[in-house]
Amino acid sequence: MNLPAILPCCFNRLHCSPSITPPTHFLRFVIRKKGSVVCRLSDNNKDDDSVQDNNSHQDNDQPLENTSLENNDGPQPDQQTGLEDGTDVQVASGSPLPGVKPQQLNESIRIPKETVEILRNQVFSFDTFFVTSQEPYEGGVLFNGNLRGQAAKTYEKVSKRMQEKLGDDYKLFLLINPEDDKPVAVVVPRMTLQPETTAVPEWFAAGAFGLVTVFTLLLRNVPALQSNLLSVFDNLDLLKDGLPGALITAFLLGVHEVSHHLVATEVGIKLGIPYFVPSWQIGCFGAITRILNVVPNREDLLKVAAAGPLAGFSVGFILLLSGFILPPSDGIGIIVDPSVFHESFLAGGIAKLLLGDVLQEGSPISVNPLVIWAWAGLVINAINSIPAGELDGGRIAFAMWGRKASARLSAFSIGLLGISSLFNDVAFYWLVLIFFLQRGPIAPLSEELTHPQNKYMALGVVVLFLGLLVCLPYPFPFSNQPAL
């Protein structure tokens, strides 16, 4: 599962590579008319007071729309391109490339003015993306213009043409500008799109999380130890009683993660090592899995994000049905109060359908423990399907409805989690997990304009709907009539 990839599965942010900043200069920003940003390159030992004096009368409340570069001691940038060779420091006023940090770059990394001209006049064209203006932007160049034809075909044509003219040194993004919701093309040097590295080796951190998760899976299935967590160390032998339940839950987790990786391999997406997140309430919250390369489009993201929950829900549903159908063996059955089935609309509905009048309010019944084990696996898949941040559900929402709509849905979902956390400790820990590890933003895709096909949209809706059924309570009372 991906915790974000849970929600578990999860996908990474792309970060620019370290920059080399000239030691004797700094960037000065001022707001000009029409909301444009001027980036002045000034000497540290000089204080250019004229900048503030000349612009103090301007309206600073205007939105930031255009970015230009001006050097105090040198010539003005070319008015057509907004760039000057050797001084194209990148600045951003909004971010069609979320997760990519704006910064100064070494001169060898900057896109030369000659290359920008090739992009504008030879790579882009009237029949693909007609460029009307451009500006330096986060390690590269942002081109405003008019999109011609279908976005997917346009991206393919422009990418092919760019490779023919400039090789593999640059990466093209076809995105939506969050300031005006219009298509923009962004070209950046590939060397600026390096995955974020960690101080601790990935395999070591993932292994440590995995060992703790094994312990919490075993602990979660030994009720005698849950009431007093510290007593575990005096009764380690009791952990073996939780092995069957831990194996079932781990199996569902494995199905979830393997499905993510199989589909990711099919569409050419590289996933990192999954980090399983331990939980003493349900055994495990799922896994956080980073995406290590740029996802081509929203349809591919949807396929990968939905694969894990779909597989987990399918297998978990079969096991849950089997648990209700198979009678508990002597000495193996678990006594439960029917009220527990009110905690899930899916589990309560199936229990009512299959058990009928045997399920009565206030009358404990014996059920096959497979019911509880499978239910735990369904809950893990369900919380990973919450449409928030970089959880599977968050990526599904982004793939189906775009970045802006998914951001609003994510904020709404996190708000509901916050309210639920007042009454449920699982919701509280999940809220903390999302806020610190999975809130996003989702890394930019190569082409974010094209909607997925309807059949994949339907799969995404099914995942979100199943997650909702598992999490919503069952509101109807069970029969109080005696069984015949």
Side-chain angles (χ1 to χ4, degrees):
M1 187 168 34
N2 294 330
L3 280 181
I6 280 173
L7 350 146
C9 254
C10 313
F11 306 129
N12 67 314
R13 277 179 230 184
L14 300 178
H15 294 270
C16 294
S17 57
S19 62
I20 300 177
T21 306
T24 60
H25 296 82
F26 67 94
L27 292 177
R28 167 170 287 176
F29 301 92
V30 294
I31 308 297
R32 306 184 77 182
K33 286 184 179 180
K34 299 182 180 180
S36 63
V37 177
V38 175
C39 175
R40 294 186 179 273
L41 196 60
S42 305
D43 188 83
N44 278 343
N45 298 324
K46 298 179 180 180
D47 190 8
D48 188 1
D49 296 329
S50 61
V51 175
Q52 296 180 359
D53 295 337
N54 294 337
N55 295 279
S56 59
H57 65 284
Q58 302 299 343
D59 184 4
N60 288 349
D61 293 329
Q62 295 296 325
L64 305 180
E65 296 176 353
N66 299 316
T67 306
S68 61
L69 182 67
E70 185 177 352
N71 190 312
N72 287 347
D73 301 320
Q76 298 296 322
D78 185 280
Q79 296 299 320
Q80 179 184 11
T81 66
L83 298 169
E84 183 182 2
D85 203 11
T87 61
D88 50 342
V89 180
Q90 285 70 30
V91 183
S93 58
S95 188
L97 285 179
V100 178
K101 297 180 179 179
Q103 58 181 301
Q104 283 184 266
L105 298 176
N106 186 357
E107 185 173 354
S108 62
I109 301 178
R110 300 171 186 159
I111 300 182
K113 183 178 179 180
E114 295 76 10
T115 300
V116 175
E117 291 298 323
I118 293 176
L119 289 169
R120 182 183 180 108
N121 300 322
Q122 301 181 37
V123 173
F124 296 105
S125 61
F126 182 81
D127 63 336
T128 56
F129 187 87
F130 182 73
V131 176
T132 57
S133 65
Q134 66 202 48
E135 54 196 88
Y137 185 88
E138 298 186 359
V141 182
L142 184 148
F143 295 92
N144 298 294
N146 300 316
L147 178 68
R148 311 289 185 173
Q150 297 180 356
K153 293 183 178 179
T154 293
Y155 182 86
E156 184 179 355
K157 290 180 181 179
V158 175
S159 295
K160 182 178 180 181
R161 198 175 296 163
M162 188 170 70
Q163 186 177 32
E164 293 174 351
K165 299 290 184 180
L166 303 172
D168 294 324
D169 294 336
Y170 302 97
K171 172 64 180 175
L172 170 69
F173 292 90
L174 192 57
L175 310 169
I176 292 291
N177 192 327
E179 296 180 352
D180 55 16
D181 293 330
K182 294 182 179 179
V184 294
V186 178
V187 178
V188 299
R190 286 188 182 273
M191 64 180 64
T192 66
L193 299 175
Q194 300 299 323
E196 183 181 12
T197 58
T198 57
V200 179
E202 242 186 354
W203 61 268
F204 180 81
F209 275 92
L211 288 176
V212 177
T213 300
V214 170
F215 176 77
T216 55
L217 284 173
L218 293 171
L219 179 64
R220 190 250 173 222
N221 290 281
V222 185
L225 297 178
Q226 294 178 17
S227 58
N228 186 357
L229 185 61
L230 295 180
S231 68
V232 172
F233 302 100
D234 298 325
N235 302 274
L236 289 177
D237 290 342
L238 289 179
L239 287 178
K240 68 178 184 294
D241 296 336
L243 185 59
L247 289 176
I248 294 296
T249 305
F251 174 67
L252 290 173
L253 287 171
V255 167
H256 182 115
E257 288 304 314
V258 169
S259 298
H260 277 308
H261 281 266
L262 289 177
V263 175
T265 300
E266 181 182 348
V267 299
I269 296 175
K270 298 179 182 179
L271 298 181
I273 301 173
Y275 289 78
F276 290 96
V277 180
S279 166
W280 60 79
Q281 298 100 335
I282 57 176
C284 179
F285 278 141
I288 297 176
T289 306
R290 297 196 309 157
I291 292 181
L292 302 181
N293 61 343
V294 179
V295 178
N297 52 59
R298 287 161 56 182
E299 185 172 295
D300 287 344
L301 178 62
L302 178 56
K303 290 178 182 177
V304 175
L310 278 176
F313 280 132
S314 299
V315 177
F317 184 73
I318 293 173
L319 293 178
L320 185 67
L321 287 177
S322 301
F324 279 116
I325 294 173
L326 297 175
S329 302
D330 293 340
I332 298 181
I334 297 179
I335 305 300
V336 299
D337 190 283
S339 62
V340 301
F341 294 111
H342 284 293
E343 297 180 5
S344 170
F345 194 96
L346 180 66
I350 294 176
K352 177 61 179 177
L353 178 65
L354 298 181
L355 300 181
D357 290 336
V358 173
L359 196 63
Q360 301 177 36
E361 299 288 356
S363 299
I365 60 173
S366 177
V367 298
N368 193 309
L370 187 58
V371 170
I372 307 301
W373 302 336
W375 191 353
L378 288 173
V379 170
I380 295 172
N381 278 274
I383 59 179
N384 279 272
S385 301
I386 296 174
E390 290 196 76
L391 299 177
D392 287 341
R395 292 184 179 128
I396 290 172
F398 167 74
M400 291 195 299
W401 299 306
R403 191 174 295 276
K404 181 173 290 188
S406 65
R408 293 170 179 169
L409 183 58
S410 178
F412 178 74
S413 300
I414 292 176
L416 288 181
L417 269 180
I419 296 175
S420 300
S421 66
L422 299 176
F423 313 98
N424 187 293
D425 59 343
V426 174
F428 172 77
Y429 289 111
W430 197 241
L431 176 66
V432 173
L433 181 67
I434 295 175
F435 188 81
F436 287 101
L437 298 179
Q438 293 295 108
R439 62 177 167 171
I442 295 175
L445 315 185
S446 293
E447 190 266 289
E448 294 188 6
L449 277 64
T450 304
H451 294 274
Q453 298 181 51
N454 289 337
K455 60 181 179 180
Y456 297 115
M457 295 279 285
L459 291 179
V461 171
V462 168
V463 170
L464 298 180
F465 182 68
L466 287 175
L468 196 62
L469 288 182
V470 174
C471 293
L472 286 178
Y474 184 81
F476 309 108
F478 299 122
S479 174
N480 286 314
Q481 299 297 324
L484 299 178

